[in-house]
């Protein structure tokens, strides 16, 4: 019963985050058009990319390692500061490169983007902390506060002057700051303490966090590179229309994220209860079928609503073409087929092999997209190319897990509350 509550709570959190991202990008589309959405999507993708690194490295480490000990907590603080500032500076460098090649981003927007990057990452770690102590509804409250504050800023500015890309980054920065303050207020009292970083056991966090960061980095990194390829090859307007279709399918994609968090815990329990690796693989096959079916159902509903609700949301100037919606649904379904096998490999300690396979998937996706775009297939071919690479990788991971009888590792990697610390729940 408790596992079902955690599963549904994790899913609700992801859907709430999906709604926030969906609402924000719809506002961008309505205010800045498809060209503006294309640029915003690339920059927002960099934020997601950064949060994947910091969330995997710091967020998963604070969940699994004993954050109640002073050396571990000090290391978590140290890595959060270093990675947040470092990735924010890299994101700023990315903006400079973009401007050198394509232009279109003002100095003010670039500065606010760097500020947003730091706040975005700190808030993401705060969300992970609340998840680690099983306060799922508190995470939703943080997301709602951040979204409402950001939207209010955009609306207020819009009544006084023209809305620009800078407006959205100012709004997001203020919203994320409100989210950070809400997170601190909602954390249990026994979680709100700091220590001197001079006693940090940085190596302990590094040994665990690097693999989780690498694995969570790859998919958003691939999407960011694909976005850049598409914008430069087919243009911002053409890719902006494809991105509008992705926004509409996004809830189906976020279902996978919510399910993946639960799969770690569930598969680890299966590992302790089921002796046969073949039985574990068969159980995972059933999870793949269930998750893929759920994603397909949500995606089909979204496609069915696209001709009515879609036009209300995105406006009459943007057409949510069925081919683009189907392409993104294919990518979401492929990801749903891949995620459970990746979770199974992780709980068996196959971190290095899984990372190598994910790197291969990312490289294959980028190369395939470059080939199809270069052949003149159009922007809609990009999700199909990524879906093909993801399916091949899913098959490879499944075969590896089914065949490998020597893998060993921790009973559970990455599930909320696994190793006790102050306020952590039992698995």
């Amino acid at each position: 019963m408790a596992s079902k509550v955690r599963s549904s709570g994790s899913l609700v959190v992801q859907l709430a985050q999906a709604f926030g991202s969906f609402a924000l990008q719809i506002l961008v589309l309505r205010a800045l058009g498809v060209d503006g959405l294309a640029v915003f999507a690339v920059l927002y993708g960099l934020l997601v990319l950064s949060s994947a690194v910091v969330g995997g490295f710091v967020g998963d480490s604070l969940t699994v390692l004993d954050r109640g000990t002073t050396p571990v907590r000090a290391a978590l603080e140290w890595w959060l500061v270093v990675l947040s500032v470092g990735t924010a500076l890299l994101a700023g460098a990315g903006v400079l490169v973009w401007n050198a090649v394509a232009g279109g981003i003002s100095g003010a927007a670039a500065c606010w983007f760097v500020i947003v990057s730091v706040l975005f990452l700190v808030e993401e770690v705060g969300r992970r902390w609340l998840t680690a102590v099983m306060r799922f509804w508190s995470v939703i409250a943080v997301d709602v506060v951040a979204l409402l504050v950001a939207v209010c800023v955009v609306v207020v500015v819009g009544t006084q002057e023209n809305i620009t890309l800078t407006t959205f980054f100012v709004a997001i920065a203020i919203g994320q700051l409100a989210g950070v303050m809400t997170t601190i207020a909602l954390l249990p009292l026994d979680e709100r303490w700091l220590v001197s970083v001079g006693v940090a056991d940085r190596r302990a966090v590094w040994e665990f966090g690097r693999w989780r960061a690498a694995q969570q980095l790859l998919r958003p990194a691939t999407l960011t590179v694909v976005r850049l390829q598409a914008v430069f090859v087919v243009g911002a307007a053409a890719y902006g229309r494809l991105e509008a279709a992705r926004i509409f399918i996004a809830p189906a994609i976020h279902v996978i994220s919510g399910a993946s968090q639960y799969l770690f815990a569930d598969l680890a329990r299966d590992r302790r209860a089921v002796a046969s690796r073949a039985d574990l693989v068969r159980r995972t096959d059933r999870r793949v079928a269930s998750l893929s079916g759920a994603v397909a159902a949500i995606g089909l509903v979204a496609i069915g609503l696209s001709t009515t609700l879609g036009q209300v949301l995105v406006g009459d100037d943007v057409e949510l073409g069925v081919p683009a919606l189907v392409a993104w649904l294919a990518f979401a379904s492929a990801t749903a087929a891949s995620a459970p096998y990746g979770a199974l490999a992780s709980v068996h300690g196959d971190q290095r092999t899984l990372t190598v396979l994910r790197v291969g998937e990312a490289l294959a996706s980028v190369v395939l997209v470059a080939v199809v775009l270069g052949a003149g297939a159009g922007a809609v071919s990009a999700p199909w190319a990524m879906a093909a690479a993801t399916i091949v990788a899913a098959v490879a991971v499944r075969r590896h897990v089914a065949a490998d009888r020597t893998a060993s590792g921790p009973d559970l990697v990455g599930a909320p509350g696994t190793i006790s610390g102050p306020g952590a729940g039992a698995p």
Side-chain angles (χ1 to χ4, degrees):
M1 181 67 178
S3 66
K4 290 183 179 179
V5 171
R6 283 197 291 268
S7 174
S8 59
S10 179
L11 181 58
V12 171
V13 167
Q14 289 298 327
L15 288 177
Q17 191 177 32
F19 175 76
S21 176
F22 175 84
L24 186 62
Q25 293 186 72
I26 287 295
L27 280 176
V28 173
L29 177 60
R30 297 300 295 262
L32 305 180
V34 290
D35 288 1
L37 176 62
V39 176
F40 180 84
V42 171
L43 296 180
Y44 196 77
L46 290 176
L47 292 178
V48 175
L49 184 64
S50 301
S51 70
V53 174
V54 177
F57 198 106
V58 180
D60 284 355
S61 294
L62 72 86
T63 302
V64 173
L65 302 179
D66 188 357
R67 61 184 179 274
T69 63
T70 298
V72 170
R73 182 169 289 257
L76 292 170
E77 294 172 9
W78 190 87
W79 280 114
L80 174 60
V81 172
V82 170
L83 291 176
S84 296
V85 174
T87 53
L89 292 176
L90 287 175
V95 172
L96 294 177
V97 172
W98 174 282
N99 265 343
V101 176
I105 302 175
S106 68
C111 290
W112 276 104
F113 178 69
V114 173
I115 295 171
V116 165
S117 298
V118 175
L119 292 171
F120 200 89
L121 300 178
V122 173
E123 197 242 21
E124 172 63 20
V125 171
R127 294 175 77 260
R128 296 294 191 97
W129 212 304
L130 287 169
T131 301
V133 296
M134 301 299 160
R135 295 199 170 187
F136 293 112
W137 290 105
S138 294
V139 180
I140 295 172
V142 170
D143 290 340
V144 170
V145 168
L147 173 64
L148 289 179
V149 170
V151 170
C152 286
V153 172
V154 172
V155 171
V156 170
V157 172
T159 62
Q160 305 295 323
E161 57 187 65
N162 291 332
I163 296 176
T164 64
L165 189 62
T166 304
T167 304
F168 280 100
F169 286 133
V170 172
I172 294 173
I174 297 174
Q176 294 298 300
L177 180 59
V180 170
M181 295 172 65
T182 304
T183 299
I184 295 172
L186 293 177
L187 275 172
L189 287 175
D190 59 359
E191 292 284 350
R192 290 186 242 161
W193 52 285
L194 300 175
V195 296
S196 170
V197 296
V199 296
D201 185 4
R202 293 189 289 271
R203 183 175 180 83
V205 177
W206 164 259
E207 289 295 332
F208 176 79
R210 58 179 177 167
W211 295 111
R212 297 298 300 150
Q215 291 164 19
Q216 295 196 37
L217 166 72
L218 290 172
R219 196 170 299 282
T222 303
L223 284 170
T224 298
V225 173
V226 167
R227 285 184 176 114
L228 290 170
Q229 288 177 301
V231 168
F232 288 130
V233 175
V234 303
Y239 181 74
R241 288 189 287 272
L242 181 66
E243 188 67 26
R246 188 200 65 82
I247 294 172
F248 213 69
I249 297 294
I253 298 174
H254 278 272
V255 165
I256 303 167
S257 299
S260 296
Q261 291 185 12
Y262 170 68
L263 281 171
F264 280 110
D266 201 36
L267 286 168
R269 280 189 292 271
D270 280 353
R271 183 190 181 189
R272 291 190 290 268
V274 180
S276 169
R277 177 73 67 97
D279 286 343
L280 281 173
V281 173
R282 282 193 292 270
R283 291 189 179 202
T284 306
D285 290 339
R286 291 194 290 271
R287 291 181 174 94
V288 167
S290 300
L291 183 56
S292 298
V295 167
I298 294 172
L300 290 174
V301 170
I303 293 173
L305 295 173
S306 63
T307 56
T308 54
L309 182 60
Q311 295 308 308
V312 172
L313 292 173
V314 305
D316 296 329
D317 296 333
V318 181
E319 181 182 355
L320 292 174
V322 172
L325 293 167
V326 172
W328 281 118
L329 179 55
F331 173 67
S333 299
T335 305
S338 174
Y341 297 124
L344 181 60
S346 288
V347 300
H348 276 274
D350 301 341
Q351 300 284 12
R352 289 178 177 82
T353 302
L354 179 60
T355 302
V356 169
L357 290 172
R358 292 301 188 214
V359 169
E361 175 190 346
L363 293 175
S365 295
V366 171
V367 171
L368 283 174
V369 169
V371 169
V372 296
L373 291 179
V380 74
S381 62
W384 284 108
M386 291 188 292
T390 299
I391 285 295
V392 172
V395 172
V397 172
R398 185 191 184 281
R399 292 185 63 180
H400 170 74
V401 175
D404 184 11
R405 304 189 182 280
T406 62
S408 61
D411 284 338
L412 185 59
V413 177
T418 303
I419 295 181
S420 62

